[in-house]
Amino acid sequence: MSEPILGITNWMHLFRWIVKLIRDEYGVDEKVLTRNAVLDGGIGLTPEQLEQVLDHIAETFELTFPENTLNETVRLEDLCTLTAWMRGLFKKPDFVTPPFEERCRSLNNVPA
């Protein structure tokens, strides 16, 4: 793991890291990047840019997001809690359906 993510010990730290990523890489104003911000159309990123954000998170945290993750994660908080859960920093989010959970677990070593 790279040095900047070593201090991430809970989902709020992870949320802050994702906000900074989107702010710094895509110039999105932090005022828009709230927990309830809608990913698709609400934060001003194209679908391709959202995929790039997922790719960056996946690479940084050594995760593999299942296909159609952006269909499962509606809000910025959803993306954060999903990532935190897959890294063992948070309980399984309520929006994670059993089929999606199975896909996440088949691609990653998600703690029980």
Side-chain angles (χ1 to χ4, degrees):
M1 249 186 271
S2 68
E3 202 58 39
I5 64 168
L6 288 178
I8 295 176
T9 59
N10 62 47
W11 80 271
M12 284 303 295
H13 293 148
L14 182 59
F15 181 83
R16 197 66 207 128
W17 184 90
I18 292 173
V19 165
K20 287 178 183 179
L21 168 70
I22 296 170
R23 178 198 67 197
D24 294 350
E25 294 296 317
Y26 299 97
V28 176
D29 188 337
E30 279 193 54
K31 292 176 188 167
V32 173
L33 300 173
T34 65
R35 290 171 54 172
N36 292 318
V38 176
L39 292 172
D40 188 16
I43 61 174
L45 297 182
T46 66
E48 293 80 19
Q49 289 172 319
L50 288 171
E51 288 291 341
Q52 290 171 351
V53 169
L54 277 185
D55 290 345
H56 190 88
I57 294 169
E59 182 179 319
T60 302
F61 291 94
E62 300 172 345
L63 297 171
T64 302
F65 287 105
E67 214 173 296
N68 298 319
T69 292
L70 291 172
N71 293 337
E72 301 283 338
T73 55
V74 175
R75 300 172 302 136
L76 187 56
E77 181 179 31
D78 298 342
L79 176 58
C80 176
T81 56
L82 174 67
T83 303
W85 169 64
M86 290 170 56
R87 289 292 301 163
L89 301 173
F90 193 71
K91 64 180 174 63
K92 183 181 78 160
D94 293 337
F95 70 86
V96 173
T97 62
F100 188 64
E101 176 181 4
E102 185 177 314
R103 292 194 331 252
C104 290
R105 288 186 184 281
S106 72
L107 295 169
N108 300 282
N109 186 19
V110 178

